[in-house]
Amino acid sequence: MVEEAEPLVGGWRRRFDPSASAGVPAHVTVLVPFLDVARIDTAVIHDLRALFGRHSPFAVRFDACRRFPDVLYLAPTPDQPFRALTEAVVARWPEAPPYGGQFKEVIPHLTVAHDQQGQVLDEVETALTVRLPVTADVASVSLFVCDGELWHPYAEFPLLVA
């Protein structure tokens, strides 16, 4: 989660990103989809805690808007720590490739607007750009699960556990 970005992007996300109204806060995705909730047991939680505990906390800066087709997002700098977290989870659970294996390269991003017309993305980008940058300290990774309709926080994993 990127709580520091919420004041800037929260209103836009509620209007233009369906995941926001489904309970997902401003965030950079590490891995989706993950395991089915029925598979998330104490052993999985233990493995996630150990895995994330081997990664150092880091500072990130969002100073530019970028786009995928029909998506406006904030680009994190650096993005390598997010890539490393994704790679670590995928190495442990190769049956859960990022985005179901849909993309060759996973590009870390904080989605602001999704499935919108270009003029909407232009408007949101113009409004955001003058208020950037947003900086954040990433010290943990959150696991969210879906009940079929809404997403809920399930567990929190601190980075670099001594």
Side-chain angles (χ1 to χ4, degrees), residues 24-103:
V24 180
H27 69 285
V28 175
T29 298
V30 171
L31 181 66
V32 71
F34 186 50
L35 304 177
D36 184 88
V37 69
R39 283 193 56 199
I40 300 174
D41 58 14
T42 55
V44 169
I45 297 297
H46 178 269
D47 287 355
L48 285 168
R49 190 169 311 287
L51 183 148
F52 292 128
R54 291 190 290 272
H55 292 263
S56 296
F58 57 96
V60 65
R61 180 180 171 101
F62 299 88
D63 55 11
C65 292
R66 296 215 178 107
R67 294 189 191 188
F68 301 128
D70 79 350
V71 173
L72 177 73
Y73 67 90
L74 298 182
T77 303
D79 70 356
Q80 184 53 39
F82 293 110
R83 291 175 188 269
L85 293 169
T86 298
E87 290 165 3
V89 178
V90 171
R92 171 59 186 84
W93 288 280
E95 69 272 28
Y99 302 99
Q102 191 175 5
F103 306 105

Side-chain angles (χ1 to χ4, degrees), residues 1-20:
M1 294 187 301
V2 184
E3 293 174 9
E4 295 89 339
E6 200 66 49
L8 175 62
V9 302
W12 296 112
R13 290 186 69 247
R14 284 187 293 280
R15 286 177 62 194
F16 300 122
D17 181 6
S19 73

Side-chain angles (χ1 to χ4, degrees), residues 127-139:
L128 290 176
T129 300
V130 298
R131 296 186 57 204
L132 293 175
V134 171
T135 58
D137 293 315
V138 179

